[in-house]
Amino acid sequence: MRSAKDFFKPLAVGAPEPVREIPFRPSRVIHFFPPQIEKMVAKLPDTIPNVDILLGNLEDAIPMADKAAARAGFIHVAKTMPMGDTQLWTRVNSLDSPWFLDDVTDIVTQAGDKVDVIMIPKVEGPEDIHYVDRLLAQLEARAGLKRPILVHALLETARGVANVEEICGASPRMQGLSLGPADLAANRRMKTTRVGGGHPDYVVRKDPNPDAPDAPREVFQQDLWHYTIARMVDACAMHGILPFYGPFGDIKDVVACEDQFRNAYLLGCVGAWSLHPVQIDIAKRVFSPRPQDVLQAQRVIDAMGDGTGAIMLDGKMEDDASVKQCKVVVELAKQLAARDPHLASLYGYPNLPVTGLFQCLLFALAALFSICLPQMSGH
């Protein structure tokens, strides 16, 4: 058993020290691209300023014959493409695949200083993260990296969901989790062929009318993923890392996509995946607080003064827990305003200096994961 004092020591001689707090940068949308397709790579200079996270995909959707080309393409993008404020991630192949070791070795040693996060598919337990943690430390030491590469885990199996708390706490590198609904549905033997979203047969039905028992009864479609997202959010909040909704497969159904993203946003997710450019604006819109919500949150904060006690505002009771909730919204708005001039104008923060972003990030992370969510669940 390792001592808790050793948790933040490098796992290899010469590796950078682990982070003690996960940075909370704008993370509304993770946009996937296939690095081996030149015409897609050629569009990246226009895409990069419009997304918070750009992810080079090496796993699913990449044919086996193209795995090496995708890896080389991603490394080329990392070394040559200016990213500005946009984070650069990659999703490597799964731990049991013949490509994983080469993916991680080549990326870390050839372009590790350009990569923020490596996404690991099909994580089933903390042992998977322990292996990746040690391997990354060895490769970082070999490459002479000055900062550690963070790890993002995909929940795609029932075992992974059952072990989600242990996965979140397995390493200081853990940046966050994403829900992988398609693989998880197959692993659970769920009877849906959809990639995310609801199902017309998953419903609750209104009670029969006693005066007309044979009359049609209203039905209300439910969210297949509510339990899993809520459990994932709780596990992430417990360990100070970031929860994301994953893919929504029906590209044409933008209405249902927005609904699914908004459900995840309200439950505590910070962002979602984009598989097609049409989903970028949906994710950015959904995971940015509405201007009227920011205004109301600021009203509550201002009305509460020192943040203690209780008041009545517009006929509603507000107290210190309300302030903590409202600070999550306001600080997220300030963070996004520092990156997006259009949002800054909508939120009324046109003069927010970019240099103040770091302070906003730290406050938002503390409020979001250490203070607010427990109060929201218990208040």
Side-chain angles (χ1 to χ4, degrees):
M1 179 182 295
R2 293 178 63 201
S3 167
K5 296 178 182 178
D6 294 334
F7 195 61
F8 290 105
K9 290 183 179 179
L11 291 180
V13 175
E17 290 208 4
V19 298
R20 292 180 176 267
E21 189 171 27
I22 297 301
F24 186 36
R25 300 167 60 186
S27 304
R28 297 163 296 176
V29 54
I30 307 173
H31 184 64
F32 280 55
F33 77 98
Q36 82 281 10
I37 300 179
E38 292 184 2
K39 68 177 183 179
M40 301 297 290
V41 172
K43 297 178 180 179
L44 291 182
D46 294 328
T47 303
I48 289 171
N50 196 38
V51 300
D52 297 326
I53 299 165
L54 183 71
L55 184 145
N57 186 23
L58 309 185
E59 197 221 8
D60 288 353
I62 306 299
M64 287 191 289
D66 292 344
K67 294 290 189 182
R71 183 191 310 131
F74 174 76
I75 292 171
H76 178 73
V77 167
K79 294 169 70 174
T80 63
M81 196 78 68
M83 296 299 298
D85 292 332
T86 298
Q87 301 174 56
L88 181 62
W89 295 18
T90 183
R91 177 171 71 167
V92 297
N93 287 283
S94 60
L95 296 175
D96 60 353
S97 76
W99 305 286
F100 168 80
L101 188 57
D102 286 340
D103 286 346
V104 176
T105 301
D106 290 356
I107 287 169
V108 175
T109 57
Q110 297 180 39
D113 58 330
K114 306 294 185 182
V115 179
D116 294 289
V117 175
I118 292 180
M119 183 181 287
I120 308 296
K122 300 177 180 64
V123 173
E124 296 202 304
E127 68 279 2
D128 291 340
I129 300 301
H130 295 159
Y131 168 68
V132 173
D133 196 6
R134 178 78 71 172
L135 176 61
L136 285 175
Q138 293 170 337
L139 294 172
E140 288 165 348
R142 177 190 293 181
L145 299 187
K146 302 304 181 185
R147 62 169 178 83
I149 297 172
L150 302 182
V151 169
H152 185 98
L154 264 174
L155 288 185
E156 299 182 282
T157 67
R159 184 179 168 216
V161 175
N163 292 326
V164 65
E165 289 85 3
E166 290 81 4
I167 291 169
C168 288
S171 165
R173 292 183 192 272
M174 283 300 299
Q175 181 272 347
L177 298 179
S178 282
L179 173 66
D183 281 293
L184 181 55
N187 186 258
R188 284 175 167 170
R189 299 183 181 178
M190 295 169 65
K191 309 307 184 289
T192 177
T193 58
R194 301 180 176 201
V195 179
H199 193 285
D201 294 337
Y202 193 70
V203 300
V204 293
R205 190 179 302 271
K206 191 174 182 179
D207 287 347
N209 184 342
D211 298 326
D214 296 327
R217 294 153 59 185
E218 285 187 282
V219 296
F220 304 91
Q221 187 170 318
Q222 304 295 291
D223 185 358
L224 284 168
W225 304 106
H226 180 89
Y227 157 78
T228 307
I229 295 174
R231 182 165 184 187
M232 179 180 72
V233 168
D234 283 346
C236 287
M238 174 182 174
H239 290 282
I241 68 175
L242 308 178
F244 292 74
Y245 183 78
F248 187 88
D250 191 344
I251 305 300
K252 294 183 294 183
D253 193 348
V254 295
V255 174
C257 177
E258 180 160 348
D259 289 341
Q260 182 69 83
F261 285 2
R262 194 168 300 284
N263 288 349
Y265 167 74
L266 291 171
L267 283 171
C269 289
V270 300
W273 296 11
S274 164
L275 305 181
H276 186 277
V278 73
Q279 296 181 339
I280 293 175
D281 287 339
I282 297 173
K284 289 175 67 176
R285 179 171 64 253
V286 168
F287 289 94
S288 300
R290 294 187 180 104
Q292 60 267 34
D293 294 338
V294 177
L295 179 62
Q296 177 61 21
Q298 189 64 56
R299 284 188 67 222
V300 173
I301 293 170
D302 294 341
M304 280 295 298
D306 65 2
T308 61
I311 64 170
M312 294 295 292
L313 185 65
D314 300 330
K316 299 177 182 178
M317 189 273 289
E318 308 288 358
D319 63 5
D320 59 332
S322 306
V323 172
K324 292 168 185 173
Q325 290 176 289
C326 291
K327 283 182 176 178
V328 172
V329 175
V330 169
E331 295 305 328
L332 176 58
K334 289 181 179 179
Q335 173 195 0
L336 297 175
R339 175 177 169 84
D340 187 330
H342 177 65
L343 282 178
S345 177
L346 292 177
Y347 294 154
Y349 302 135
N351 300 316
L352 183 69
V354 175
T355 54
L357 176 59
F358 183 68
Q359 291 177 332
C360 291
L361 302 189
L362 292 180
F363 192 90
L365 186 62
L368 181 61
F369 293 106
S370 300
I371 302 173
C372 179
L373 283 176
Q375 288 286 345
M376 291 173 68
S377 62
H379 177 62

